[in-house]
């Protein structure tokens, strides 16, 4: 398995705050890889840097043998890299269908209906509400919409930032089932989570971030069993 | 019958405010900035049309099209040179820059075209329709103004609701970061918004000067401020709000002139604005957005 995404020595700053310190990791094709860590560890900053919303001062990000730092943010999605941002960030004043159409912004008009059908088959609730304004959806439905919207661009690598945030346990379960379904269908997934238990149990590999640095890595199973991880992130 | 006359001229004036307010509201909605130079783009449009028609004897319609082209380019140029470098700057810096651009345009106009007032030839002639034995008169300018406003509103509503670019504009106005993640080029979208707003400003300038034919380099500033008020009145960022705000402002202004006092009409207009904002801080059609967490 070749790495589809390779992050090498990135350093990201917010003004004088050094948020990500020399982070390197890779994601192989067909894997689910998770970045776990506490609040402020630099997980979301790392994802935002990969998707081009933020920029690293050093190092490189290579996606399918192309250096991403050469491209402005809006060019990156057409390379096959989509992100479901933290807090969902769907377009609240647009309808469900319009949100999904925005997800397909870089795709031609031709395949859009088939893609809509595909998303609706994954998330039947969205089809029922396709003409509804997204702001009226419940939190779980909004998360589904955010995921559906990202899928509209046919990503080879899907990055999910805290998909379980603020959701009821039953919905978290549903979201993780869908993540596994997408994975089975061939999408590579990079998952950022505070819910370490859930994330590690679906992940092939995981990296643990602490104050901007990767402190541990291993397979999902190894990390779940590691006493140090248990103590810090899994509640003993 | 005089009431009806006043109402119609109020709607006509309000239509002009509405067209200008659209420029303010669209730019605010997407770039989250108040482009106080917008009023002066109106003036530039009017001058271009004036010279095209009265000096170069172009047909009026060609004059309008030329004015739109010049203003579209001017709007994009202003955005590119003055506002784009400040994309990450505090909004106060952008606001001050916009005021600077406004004075720059006014003074450039003063230099190029002098302070002598020009008498603007109405682009639709001076004809009028008389009804009820001459008691109700509607000039052709009024009809064209109202029609232009309706057409522009319908076209923009269709554009933002049904086209790929229009939807991208709405996406940008909600969340630029998320829009970029969708693959939308935010800079190009902002540039296009300025282009549309400035093109509309040219139309507004020509219509304004056809109804009130004195053209000086400061012609655009008062209607600009009034239209900004109209945009806030209706709910800044909202296209139907700009229409409603513009029309109400025009009608209130004309009624205040007719029934209260000519000198106090502006005071009445702004007093109404203050009352509306006290009751509905987001404007008449402005939405207060609650985010789900």
């Amino acid at each position: 398995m070749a790495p589809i995404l390779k992050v090498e020595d990135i350093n990201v700053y917010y003004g004088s705050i050094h948020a990500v310190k020399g982070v390197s990791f890779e994601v192989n094709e067909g894997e689910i890889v998770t970045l776990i860590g506490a609040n402020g560890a630099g997980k979301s900053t790392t994802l935002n840097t990969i998707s081009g919303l933020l920029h690293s001062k050093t190092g490189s990000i290579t996606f399918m043998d192309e250096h991403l730092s050469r491209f402005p943010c809006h060019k990156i999605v057409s390379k096959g890299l989509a992100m479901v941002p933290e807090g969902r960030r769907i377009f609240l004043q647009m309808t469900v269908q319009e949100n999904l159409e925005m997800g397909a912004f870089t795709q031609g008009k031709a395949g859009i209906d088939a893609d809509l059908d595909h998303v609706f088959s994954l998330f039947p609730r969205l089809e029922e509400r396709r003409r509804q304004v997204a702001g009226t959806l419940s939190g779980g439905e909004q998360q589904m919409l955010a995921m559906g919207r990202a899928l509209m661009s046919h990503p080879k690598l899907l990055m999910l930032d805290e998909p379980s945030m603020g959701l009821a346990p039953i919905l978290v379960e549903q979201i993780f089932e869908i993540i596994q379904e997408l994975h089975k269908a061939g999408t590579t997934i990079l998952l950022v989570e505070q819910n370490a238990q859930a994330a590690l149990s679906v992940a092939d590999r995981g990296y643990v971030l602490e104050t901007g640095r990767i402190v541990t890595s291993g397979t999902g199973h190894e990390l779940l069993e590691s006493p140090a991880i248990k103590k810090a992130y899994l509640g003993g | 019958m005089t009431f009806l006359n006043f109402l119609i001229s109020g709607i006509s004036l309000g239509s002009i405010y509405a067209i200008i307010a659209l420029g303010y509201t669209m730019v605010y909605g997407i770039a989250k900035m108040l482009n106080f130079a917008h009023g002066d783009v109106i003036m530039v449009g009017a001058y271009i049309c004036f010279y095209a028609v009265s000096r170069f004897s172009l047909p009026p319609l060609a004059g309008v099209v030329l004015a739109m082209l010049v203003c579209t380019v001017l709007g994009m140029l202003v955005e590119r040179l003055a506002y784009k470098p400040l994309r990450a700057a505090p909004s106060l810096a952008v606001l001050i820059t916009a005021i600077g651009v406004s004075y720059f345009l006014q003074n450039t106009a003063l230099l190029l075209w002098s302070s002598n007032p020009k008498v603007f030839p109405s682009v639709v002639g001076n004809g009028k329709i008389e009804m009820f034995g001459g008691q109700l008169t509607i000039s052709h300018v009024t009809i064209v103004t109202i029609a232009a406003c309706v057409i522009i509103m319908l076209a923009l509503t269709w554009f933002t609701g049904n086209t790929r670019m229009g939807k991208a504009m709405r996406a940008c106005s909600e969340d630029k970061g998320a829009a970029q993640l969708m693959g939308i080029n935010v800079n190009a979208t902002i540039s296009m918004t300025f282009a549309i707003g400035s093109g509309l400003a040219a139309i507004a300038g020509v219509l304004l000067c056809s109804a009130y034919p004195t053209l000086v380099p400061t012609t655009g500033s008062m209607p600009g401020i009034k239209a900004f008020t109209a945009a806030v009145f209706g709910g800044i960022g909202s296209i139907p709000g700009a229409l409603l705000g513009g029309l109400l402002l025009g009608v209130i202004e004309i009624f205040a002139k007719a029934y209260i006092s000519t000198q106090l009409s502006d005071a009445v207009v702004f007093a109404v604005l203050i009352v509306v904002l006290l009751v509905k801080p987001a404007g008449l059609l402005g939405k207060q957005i609650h985010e789900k967490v």
Side-chain angles (χ1 to χ4, degrees):
Chain A
M1 281 192 297
I4 186 169
L5 175 75
K6 199 165 180 177
V7 175
E8 281 169 297
D9 187 35
I10 58 167
N11 282 282
V12 188
Y13 297 80
Y14 294 105
S16 61
I17 299 164
H18 194 177
V20 168
K21 300 164 186 161
V23 163
S24 303
F25 67 94
E26 48 187 54
V27 179
N28 297 318
E29 192 152 8
E31 276 187 319
I32 300 184
V33 171
T34 181
L35 303 179
I36 59 172
N39 262 337
K43 309 181 298 290
S44 297
T45 308
T46 305
L47 281 203
N48 286 336
T49 308
I50 298 171
S51 62
L53 286 170
L54 296 171
H55 298 282
S56 170
K57 291 219 164 151
T58 58
S60 68
I61 298 169
T62 320
F63 179 67
M64 305 211 325
D65 304 323
E66 267 189 301
H67 283 286
L68 289 188
S69 46
R70 281 194 208 139
F71 301 101
C73 183
H74 68 269
K75 293 274 186 212
I76 285 179
V77 64
S78 52
K79 307 270 165 215
L81 209 166
M83 177 158 96
V84 181
E86 184 178 11
R88 311 185 265 266
R89 291 173 75 171
I90 54 170
F91 303 113
L92 295 170
Q93 294 176 51
M94 299 173 85
T95 65
V96 167
Q97 173 151 354
E98 284 172 337
N99 267 279
L100 294 173
E101 285 169 6
M102 286 298 105
F105 191 78
T106 53
Q107 308 289 308
K109 257 201 162 126
I112 232 178
D113 285 327
D115 293 341
L116 279 174
D117 286 342
H118 172 62
V119 169
F120 289 147
S121 70
L122 283 169
F123 307 103
R125 291 297 288 272
L126 295 183
E127 183 160 30
E128 288 166 33
R129 300 177 190 273
R130 72 193 279 179
R131 310 241 168 263
Q132 214 167 307
V133 174
T136 63
L137 299 181
S138 74
E141 288 163 347
Q142 292 192 359
Q143 183 62 50
M144 291 175 191
L145 180 56
M147 289 172 71
R149 185 180 68 174
L151 291 174
M152 291 295 287
S153 67
H154 296 276
K156 296 198 178 63
L157 173 64
L158 180 65
M159 301 193 288
L160 297 147
D161 196 348
E162 304 266 8
S164 74
M165 192 171 68
L167 297 184
I170 178 120
L171 283 170
V172 175
E173 227 168 87
Q174 261 185 39
I175 295 285
F176 274 89
E177 271 166 30
I178 289 162
I179 292 173
Q180 280 173 298
E181 239 174 89
L182 294 173
H183 175 236
K184 269 184 214 140
T187 313
T188 309
I189 287 165
L190 176 57
L191 175 65
V192 156
E193 261 300 339
Q194 277 197 58
N195 186 341
Q197 175 82 47
L200 289 173
S201 54
V202 298
D204 295 305
R205 291 187 302 115
Y207 293 87
V208 182
L209 275 161
E210 245 171 54
T211 57
R213 283 179 221 282
I214 288 180
V215 290
T216 321
S217 64
T219 66
H221 188 72
E222 278 167 12
L223 292 175
L224 267 179
E225 295 301 316
S226 147
I229 302 294
K230 266 191 184 164
K231 190 152 183 275
Y233 301 104
L234 304 173
Chain B
M1 211 48 78
T2 45
F3 173 82
L4 212 56
N5 267 322
F6 288 138
L7 182 67
I8 289 169
S9 38
I11 292 175
S12 169
L13 179 63
S15 299
I16 295 172
Y17 288 156
I19 298 171
I20 308 170
L22 278 173
Y24 269 108
T25 228
M26 286 172 65
V27 164
Y28 179 83
I30 286 166
K32 298 286 176 274
M33 65 160 291
L34 296 171
N35 179 18
F36 275 117
H38 190 62
D40 303 293
V41 177
I42 296 165
M43 171 273 295
V44 173
Y47 269 104
I48 299 294
C49 187
F50 169 79
Y51 278 102
V53 173
S54 50
R55 297 288 151 88
F56 298 101
S57 316
L58 291 178
L61 195 64
V64 176
V65 172
L66 184 69
M68 283 177 73
L69 283 177
V70 170
C71 285
T72 303
V73 173
L74 178 69
M76 288 167 79
L77 212 61
V78 164
E79 193 273 331
R80 181 71 189 76
L81 297 178
Y83 305 145
K84 195 180 169 204
L86 298 174
R87 201 62 44 84
S91 52
L92 211 52
V94 185
L95 189 71
I96 292 166
T97 306
I99 294 171
V101 172
S102 166
Y103 280 112
F104 176 79
L105 290 179
Q106 280 181 25
N107 286 289
T108 309
L110 204 58
L111 211 62
L112 287 176
W113 300 313
S114 87
S115 59
N116 291 337
K118 307 270 187 292
V119 179
F120 194 88
S122 171
V123 287
V124 284
N126 292 317
K128 58 180 117 189
I129 299 168
E130 300 201 349
M131 277 186 274
F132 307 109
Q135 282 184 310
L136 181 65
T137 53
I138 307 172
S139 68
H140 289 173
V141 178
T142 303
I143 296 169
V144 170
T145 303
I146 296 172
C149 178
V150 170
I151 292 168
I152 289 168
M153 287 306 300
L154 290 177
L156 267 186
T157 308
W158 178 83
F159 175 74
T160 54
N162 295 291
T163 64
R164 197 172 107 97
M165 275 320 289
K167 288 179 191 177
M169 277 172 64
R170 282 160 61 210
C172 283
S173 84
E174 276 202 54
D175 187 334
K176 282 191 200 53
Q180 277 180 302
L181 290 177
M182 302 298 110
I184 297 167
N185 184 342
V186 170
N187 282 329
T189 309
I190 292 177
S191 182
M192 197 184 63
T193 310
F194 271 86
I196 295 174
S198 306
L200 294 181
I203 297 178
V206 171
L207 292 171
L208 181 75
C209 290
S210 295
Y212 305 88
T214 318
L215 178 56
V216 288
T218 51
T219 287
S221 54
M222 198 56 188
I225 301 239
K226 294 258 184 69
F228 166 61
T229 312
V232 175
F233 200 30
I236 193 147
S238 151
I239 289 178
L243 176 69
L244 183 67
L247 289 180
L248 280 176
L249 204 77
V251 171
I252 293 169
E253 184 178 330
I254 296 287
F255 279 170
K257 270 195 182 126
Y259 296 115
I260 301 173
S261 143
T262 319
Q263 275 107 27
L264 281 180
S265 69
D266 287 348
V268 173
V269 166
F270 289 107
V272 173
L273 172 79
I274 291 169
V275 172
V276 168
L277 289 186
L278 283 175
V279 181
K280 284 188 73 97
L284 291 171
L285 299 184
K287 277 184 213 138
Q288 256 160 0
I289 299 148
H290 304 282
E291 214 163 311
K292 277 207 177 73
V293 280

